[in-house]
Amino acid sequence: MMARKLFLACFFLSLALPLHAQEKAYQWILNMMSKEKDERREAATNLLQLEDASFAPAMVDVLFYMPRSARGEMIGILEETTGHKAGDAYYDWVEYIGKRSELKSPPGYIKFKVALLSLIDPRYKQILYTGVFLKIRPEEIVWGGVKLDGIPPIEAPKFIEAAEAKLKDNEKIFGVSLKGEARAYPLRYLSWHEMLNDRIAGEPVTLSY
């Protein structure tokens, strides 16, 4: 439901980026979400004339903000530009981009991407910006389903004796032993919170799952 509301809120938007002349293709991609049919037609014509698959990741990014019923024009451009057919499912195109490791988006891509993510949460501008250090291709960054800090970590968890814990025989845990102290963190809790901060034997410990 949250994603559906996001689609309806973001589709048919007017988003203008401060781009250099060589980055104008990103504005054409954004214009594919315009409510004006002529504006979308002009943008589609320009994108097709580019014949440049390096803009495919940005096109796929925009698909996320479109309901399936409105993706036809953009899907047509993607198929023509890449020679690949993945239907109208956003995540099928995300998987395709992930496999095309040789695709390197032209300059301006980070600026474009953070503008889209900022529609969800303006704070994305604080962690994703031109020049930021990245361990993965920016083309592979997708929204995880919540706003920043939307999943609260477990802070200073309380513990009980092992004999009192109602754990199943096959239940998975994270076990930590440090300086003579041992802790067990059930996977079922970390699956919800994904991050845990604790102190063991006076040492700060962080678990990420």
Side-chain angles (χ1 to χ4, degrees):
M1 179 62 70
M2 181 180 181
R4 181 61 181 170
K5 290 181 179 178
L6 179 65
F7 287 149
L8 294 176
C10 296
F11 186 56
F12 287 155
L13 57 79
S14 295
L15 184 60
L17 292 176
L19 300 170
H20 298 296
Q22 66 270 29
E23 302 170 358
K24 59 185 177 183
Y26 290 114
Q27 186 62 58
W28 297 336
I29 294 170
L30 290 175
N31 289 350
M32 291 300 298
M33 292 191 289
S34 171
K35 64 181 179 179
E36 302 296 335
K37 187 174 182 179
D38 289 343
E39 190 170 19
R40 296 199 309 275
R41 184 184 296 115
E42 180 182 2
T45 298
N46 289 332
L47 289 170
L48 287 170
Q49 289 177 348
L50 278 180
E51 297 182 343
D52 189 346
S54 66
F55 285 101
M59 297 182 199
V60 173
D61 289 338
V62 163
L63 284 182
F64 175 77
Y65 296 84
M66 296 178 171
R68 265 188 162 172
S69 60
R71 295 176 182 172
E73 293 171 320
M74 183 62 86
I75 294 298
I77 299 170
L78 271 168
E79 292 179 346
E80 182 71 23
T81 302
T82 64
H84 179 74
K85 294 184 182 295
D88 61 1
Y90 165 68
Y91 284 107
D92 288 347
W93 280 102
V94 167
E95 183 178 357
Y96 167 74
I97 294 299
K99 293 178 179 178
R100 291 288 304 275
S101 58
E102 80 283 1
L103 282 179
K104 305 296 182 183
S105 297
Y109 178 65
I110 294 293
K111 190 187 304 181
F112 165 87
K113 189 147 198 164
V114 75
L116 287 177
L117 288 172
S118 294
L119 295 172
I120 301 170
D121 188 335
R123 291 178 297 169
Y124 279 110
K125 295 177 181 178
Q126 300 172 16
I127 62 172
L128 185 63
Y129 47 85
T130 302
V132 68
F133 173 74
L134 297 172
K135 291 185 177 180
I136 65 172
R137 296 165 55 218
E139 291 83 1
E140 295 182 67
I141 296 174
V142 297
W143 185 48
V146 296
K147 293 185 177 182
L148 290 181
D149 300 323
I151 302 176
I154 299 174
E155 300 283 358
K158 296 180 180 180
F159 293 90
I160 59 176
E161 294 295 327
E164 300 175 26
K166 297 179 180 180
L167 296 176
K168 297 179 181 179
D169 291 340
N170 63 345
E171 184 161 354
K172 295 180 179 180
I173 65 166
F174 288 90
V176 179
S177 178
L178 180 64
K179 296 182 180 179
E181 288 193 25
R183 302 281 173 82
Y185 305 95
L187 176 62
R188 55 184 149 118
Y189 295 124
L190 284 166
S191 293
W192 282 97
H193 292 272
E194 300 184 1
M195 183 74 72
L196 178 145
N197 295 308
D198 197 9
R199 297 190 74 87
I200 303 177
E203 297 289 337
V205 174
T206 295
L207 291 180
S208 177
Y209 173 73

